[in-house]
Structure formats: structure tokens, C-alpha cells
Amino acid sequence: MKEWIFLRTIRGDMKLVQGEQFETNLTYTGVLPSLPNAGVDAERLSGYLHEAQDDYPTGQDTYELGKYLGKLSNLAPIADQLGEQALGDDFRAELQQHLEDWLQATDESNAIKGENLFYYNQNWGTLLGYHAAHGSAVRINDHHFHYGYFVKAAAEVARVNPDWAQNDEWGGMVNELIRDFAAGRDDPMYPYLRMFDPYSGHSWADGLATFDSGNNQESSSEAMHAWTNLILWAEATDDQELLDRAIYLYTTEMSAINEYFFDVHDEIHPPEYEPEIVTINWGGKMDHATWWNSGAVEKYAINWLPIHGGALYLGHHPDYVENAYQALKETNGSEEWNWWSNMVWSYRALTDPGDAQTQMEQRIDDYTEFDPGDETIIERGSTKAQTYQWITSLASLGQVNPDITANIPTYAVFDQNGESVYVAYNYDSDPRSIMFSDGHEATVEGNSYYVSQGGSGPPPTTPPEEPEQPGDDGKVIERDDFTVTVDENEADRVLTFTPNTPARYVDLHYRLDDGNQENVRMQQEEGRWFLMIPDVENKSLSFRFTYEKNGPQYETEWFSYP
């Protein structure tokens, strides 16, 4: 029997046990290209998206341009979901223009450029971007932070244009960029996981680590952003080896952040450390400070930004989120946030989207045009459009639930008033069958979002004792998004699905008695969708629908007839 030895360290109680190796087992909780547009006012969101076209890069270095690329990458899938394909294509065209400029070292005359390029330094075994920022060249700092934004942009272009991402096209240079900060083992040009420390379980940001307190990392959330983007790129390019590595990085860093930055279980930080968050974690100390002269909000939000489809981990521990928000509010003295208000609203929406919406509505439209010199309301790497979409969608989807997993990397599950809401994105061009760990099954169309509408698990093996019959006679089902009618034709039943918003497709899933589930594409006529099910007399009928609405794919709950 092995005996544990406990040592008190700056990272809490360290367990020591004699042995030659150990394993860690953590649960991956999924990421998305963006949240689905759920519950949004399409006209209002469209207006915000068009406003964002007037935004511009706040600098031409690897970090400031990177933040701009990240901003456009968040906007493009939101525009696609609204059916504004041309606007989404405009955002991606700008992403592609910047990427292709930076990913080649020569200009139109085939001369070596002096800026907007990446240069391989053989002495240091690293790829340096010029213009550099925050010591990314002279100290090899922050490569995962900066380059992660470029990978985000590439993943968004590849999401709709996989040919661009082929290795003999631009994908080869994107993979080169990834190898610099997240190379696999035995890479001949780059060290294994340059910025990540497997022993500590998280990244370090400084390349030289020459401080008395060792290495450090401030923006843990930008590390998570980088690993999210590796997952999205790997999905878009079907790179299983990179996907496995990226999921390890994402999941392990998430665990370390919850322990060492947030201390969600209140077990790590000593009693003398009073803030609810460690803003900068060092090898030998912890700081509630930033690398610049910041206010109360920035000391928290630097570990929240950027908000994106892989940031839902911030809401996995709602009690902690509430404590952190209340501590920030007390420090600030009110909900009149001095800076980066939309970051606080977006964080608040993880546990109280109603309050977040109230705060947002009071101030968001005071921000009339992009002003990087005034970030009181909108942080310069984000937009009104994404802020509105994030908060409104969370209000519709509910509280993120990390306990239900799926057999696809790009998914999320939410709890809305006790009902599970399932979300997935399929990067494949063909439909893909998805299984969630609680038994819920879905077929996701190619290059599409899937969003369920309540209910969890597979259909019941026997009909409920009191089947749901919302209409007066059990033949009419009305919901906010659709109306369903069931008509009898001798022994057959004709189901009609009428969406309130035009749908590109509607699929019917049904079972007779306890038989196998049938999945059929319904037939459309003048905005209504029909299907006849033969020989239903004296049998129980259980059914649900999958339908498209403004881009995402939704799923109804199960119904029963008679």
C-alpha cells in the first residue's frame, strides 16, 4: 500500500507518492465556433454586424492585429446564421487578406518584406512575428496568446473554405505557426509544447523566465482561446493528431485555471489572499495586479477575454462566478463599470443573463461608433454585435452544463429550467450522427449548427401514461416557433409542421409502439412541411422534429399521439 505525503505549497497541498509514472483523467467539455443565434432579434443583430464593418485594427503588431482577427472571426459565423452570407463572406475575405499577407515573406515584387511576416530564427528554434509586441520577439513572450488569434482566423476561413486550408495551399503555413507554440513530440524545428508546462498543468507567458519569482502568466483566458482555436482548426482540417493534443491542452489548462487562478473549490489560495481571482500567477507568488495601470474590472476581465465559443468553461462553477461577480461589484462600488463593461456583462450572463441583459440595454447603444481610445463600454477586441448575441443567446439557452458530454469535439450542453438544451456544430460536409452521454441522439446536417429545444435522452420505449396533447382535441400542438397538426386518414396519420420562420428543411423522427426510430425528411409546400405515416391505427405514435431556423438547426421535444 502506497503512503501519501502532503506538502503545503503556493499551489495548495501537494501529494507526494513514490512511483515511476502517473496519469491524470479530466473531462473535455466541448467548444464551438460561436454560440448559436438563440432568441436574438435578427434585425437588431444585423444592424450591429453592419456597424462592425467600420471597425479597424488598433495596431499592426502580432497582438493588436491578432485581436482584430479574433473579432472578425467571431462575427462571421453570427452573420452566416442570420442568413447574411455576403456579410459573413466579407468578414472572411478580410481575414484571408490579412492572413495571406502575414503568411508569406515576400511582397508583390518577390522581395523580402520588413514587416507583416513571420521569420524563423534557427538559433532559438522559434517563429518570430514582425512587428512584434509585448516582448514576443526579444523574449519569445506570449506566442500562444498572439498566434492563437491568427489560428482562430484561419479556422474560420477553413470552416467554409477547406480548400484554402490544404497543406499545399495556406494550411502549411498555419500548421507552421501552430508548431511554434504547440508542437508535437520529436518536432525537428520546434520544442514540444513551447508555452505549456505539463507539470504545472498550465501555460507560461514569458519566454526567458528571468524574474526572481520564476515564470508567469496573466491572461489565462487567452491561453484557453489558443487551445480552442487549435481544436477548431483540427476539426476543419481533419487533423486527428492535432485534435488530441489540443483537447489535452484545453482540458488540462482549464483544470489548472479553476484551481490556481479562480480557486473554485476554495482549497488553494491562502486566507491572506483576499481577491476572488489571481490575475497573474507566478512560479513563486500570486498577484492581483496587471502589467499595466488597471482598474478593478481589468484585474478580473483579463482572465475572461476574449469571449468566444470556447469560453463557456468560465461558467462551469456558477457559485464561484456569482462570488467573483459580487466581489468585483463591491470593489467597483456599483454596476457603473469603469472600463470594459461588456466583458462584465458577458461574464454575468453565465449565471444571471437577465441581469446581464438589463445592464446591457442601459448602456450598449451609448457606444455609437468604434473608438479604441474609449473602452468604457466595449473592449477593443470585441463588438456590440457579439456582446448582444452572447448575452441574448445565453438567456435563451440557459446555464452551461459540463456534466453531459458528446462524441464530437464541437458541442455544448445547457440547462434551461431543468430541461437540457443540446448544441453541436458539424464541420463535415455530410450529416453526422451525434450521441450525448445522457443518451440524447441527434443528426447534424453538414456545415451546420444543431440546437435542441428541450427534452433529453432517446424516445421512451413505451408511450407516457398521459401523452402530451396541447390542443383541445389532441390534434394541434402550438409552440413559439411552430405549429404541428395531426390529421387522421383512415389508418394513416398526416403530420404537418408549420414553422413561424421559413425553414430550409424539416426532419421527422418517429416510433410506432416500441419499434425502431424512423428518420424522414418532410415534404414542403408553401412554407408547410408534410409527411404521411401509414398504418398507425391502434398504435402509439411518438415523434419529434428537427428543423432549420436562420442557420442553426433546432430540435423539438418528443410528442405523443393519441
Side-chain angles (χ1 to χ4, degrees):
M1 180 177 178
K2 294 182 179 180
E3 181 179 353
W4 290 100
I5 299 175
F6 292 86
L7 295 178
R8 183 64 183 172
T9 76
I10 196 171
R11 299 290 180 259
D13 290 334
M14 177 182 287
K15 298 178 181 180
L16 302 181
V17 64
Q18 185 176 356
E20 297 180 353
Q21 64 183 23
F22 66 92
E23 293 181 358
T24 58
N25 291 281
L26 301 169
T27 299
Y28 172 66
T29 54
V31 302
L32 293 164
S34 76
L35 287 188
N37 292 351
V40 300
D41 181 323
E43 183 176 354
R44 181 180 182 184
L45 181 54
S46 175
Y48 288 157
L49 287 167
H50 283 278
E51 283 182 26
Q53 289 186 296
D54 294 331
D55 291 10
Y56 50 85
T58 52
Q60 287 297 323
D61 57 65
T62 51
Y63 186 63
E64 290 301 319
L65 180 65
K67 285 175 72 72
Y68 182 68
L69 297 179
K71 177 190 301 191
L72 297 182
S73 302
N74 284 328
L75 296 175
I78 296 174
D80 291 346
Q81 293 179 65
L82 280 184
E84 299 216 20
Q85 190 70 42
L87 182 57
D89 289 343
D90 286 346
F91 289 132
R92 278 183 292 271
E94 189 172 356
L95 291 174
Q96 191 170 327
Q97 177 186 350
H98 285 295
L99 287 170
E100 292 179 6
D101 181 23
W102 276 75
L103 295 179
Q104 58 182 349
T106 56
D107 60 21
E108 294 177 353
S109 303
N110 207 34
I112 298 295
K113 297 186 296 185
E115 60 184 8
N116 295 8
L117 82 163
F118 292 98
Y119 155 72
Y120 181 73
N121 184 303
Q122 189 170 2
N123 292 330
W124 289 359
T126 187
L127 204 62
L128 304 177
Y130 291 100
H131 293 302
H134 306 299
S136 61
V138 295
R139 294 186 64 89
I140 322 180
N141 288 354
D142 298 356
H143 280 205
H144 55 329
F145 295 167
H146 299 199
Y147 299 175
Y149 285 101
F150 286 78
V151 177
K152 168 80 167 181
E156 176 54 28
V157 174
R159 184 176 68 84
V160 299
N161 185 5
D163 290 341
W164 182 90
Q166 294 297 311
N167 210 48
D168 57 355
E169 294 292 335
W170 295 97
M173 272 304 300
V174 177
N175 288 324
E176 188 85 10
L177 200 62
I178 291 170
R179 289 168 60 197
D180 173 77
F181 66 92
R185 296 186 186 275
D186 304 320
D187 193 297
M189 295 175 62
Y190 301 97
Y192 177 56
L193 302 181
R194 180 192 305 279
M195 310 305 295
F196 189 81
D197 181 350
Y199 179 79
S200 296
H202 61 80
S203 311
W204 297 113
D206 188 78
L208 301 184
T210 54
F211 297 95
D212 291 342
S213 295
N215 212 321
N216 70 89
Q217 179 161 260
E218 182 182 56
S219 184
S220 62
S221 49
E222 285 183 300
M224 290 295 286
H225 181 247
W227 311 143
T228 296
N229 301 330
L230 296 190
I231 293 170
L232 299 181
W233 173 256
E235 271 292 277
T237 59
D238 195 25
D239 188 336
Q240 186 63 47
E241 191 273 335
L242 176 61
L243 179 63
D244 292 342
R245 192 185 329 143
I247 287 176
Y248 162 76
L249 291 166
Y250 181 93
T251 307
T252 308
E253 183 112 27
M254 176 178 67
S255 177
I257 290 169
N258 284 330
E259 298 293 345
Y260 306 142
F261 284 81
F262 300 161
D263 191 14
V264 296
H265 303 297
D266 197 21
E267 297 175 341
I268 305 299
H269 299 167
E272 296 80 7
Y273 189 84
E274 296 181 356
E276 289 289 336
I277 192 170
V278 171
T279 305
I280 306 177
N281 240 322
W282 296 78
K285 66 177 182 179
M286 52 187 68
D287 270 347
H288 190 62
T290 61
W291 286 103
W292 75 98
N293 186 19
S294 63
V297 170
E298 300 98 301
K299 289 181 175 65
Y300 281 80
I302 191 61
N303 278 288
W304 302 340
L305 65 79
I307 298 298
H308 59 102
L312 290 168
Y313 73 94
L314 292 170
H316 285 177
H317 299 275
D319 289 343
Y320 167 77
V321 174
E322 185 66 22
N323 290 339
Y325 175 80
Q326 295 300 335
L328 174 57
K329 179 180 175 181
E330 181 178 355
T331 301
N332 193 62
S334 73
E335 291 178 339
E336 292 293 321
W337 310 108
N338 65 314
W339 209 246
W340 293 357
S341 298
N342 71 313
M343 290 291 107
V344 185
W345 306 334
S346 297
Y347 188 73
R348 182 63 166 156
L350 292 165
T351 55
D352 194 338
D355 184 36
Q357 283 183 308
T358 298
Q359 294 187 46
M360 176 186 70
E361 295 295 355
Q362 290 173 349
R363 299 189 69 193
I364 190 170
D365 288 324
D366 291 343
Y367 192 80
T368 56
E369 61 183 20
F370 179 57
D371 182 1
D374 182 3
E375 298 181 79
T376 305
I377 298 176
I378 304 294
E379 185 268 334
R380 70 186 185 280
S382 54
T383 60
K384 290 166 65 176
Q386 194 215 4
T387 299
Y388 169 76
Q389 190 257 9
W390 173 271
I391 294 170
T392 305
S393 294
L394 284 180
S396 177
L397 295 167
Q399 169 70 50
V400 62
N401 180 2
D403 296 329
I404 299 175
T405 60
N407 63 348
I408 187 175
T410 44
Y411 79 94
V413 180
F414 301 85
D415 183 273
Q416 181 62 276
N417 298 322
E419 294 286 338
S420 294
V421 179
Y422 306 85
V423 178
Y425 184 84
N426 178 14
Y427 274 86
D428 295 345
S429 57
D430 297 323
R432 185 169 176 178
S433 296
I434 308 301
M435 174 69 78
F436 290 85
S437 60
D438 66 344
H440 182 82
E441 298 180 54
T443 299
V444 186
E445 296 293 322
N447 306 120
S448 296
Y449 283 90
Y450 162 83
V451 183
S452 72
Q453 289 274 353
S456 63
T461 55
T462 59
E465 293 181 3
E466 297 182 2
E468 185 171 0
Q469 297 182 357
D472 292 339
D473 58 1
K475 298 180 181 179
V476 178
I477 301 169
E478 293 184 345
R479 294 291 185 268
D480 291 342
D481 270 6
F482 58 84
T483 300
V484 175
T485 60
V486 182
D487 294 312
E488 299 180 356
N489 181 14
E490 296 183 353
D492 305 330
R493 301 293 178 265
V494 178
L495 273 65
T496 303
F497 183 95
T498 306
N500 294 341
T501 301
R504 289 190 291 118
Y505 57 84
V506 178
D507 292 336
L508 173 67
H509 316 277
Y510 71 93
R511 295 178 60 172
L512 296 177
D513 290 337
D514 58 353
N516 294 329
Q517 179 176 315
E518 302 292 337
N519 307 293
V520 187
R521 177 64 50 89
M522 302 183 78
Q523 300 296 315
Q524 183 191 28
E525 182 178 325
E526 297 181 350
R528 297 184 299 168
W529 297 79
F530 303 87
L531 189 80
M532 184 184 72
I533 305 176
D535 192 23
V536 180
E537 192 173 20
N538 299 323
K539 297 179 182 178
S540 64
L541 171 64
S542 299
F543 59 94
R544 65 174 172 84
F545 302 89
T546 299
Y547 63 100
E548 184 269 346
K549 176 185 173 183
N550 291 331
Q553 175 178 289
Y554 293 85
E555 182 179 275
T556 72
E557 68 266 41
W558 282 92
F559 304 108
S560 298
Y561 185 87

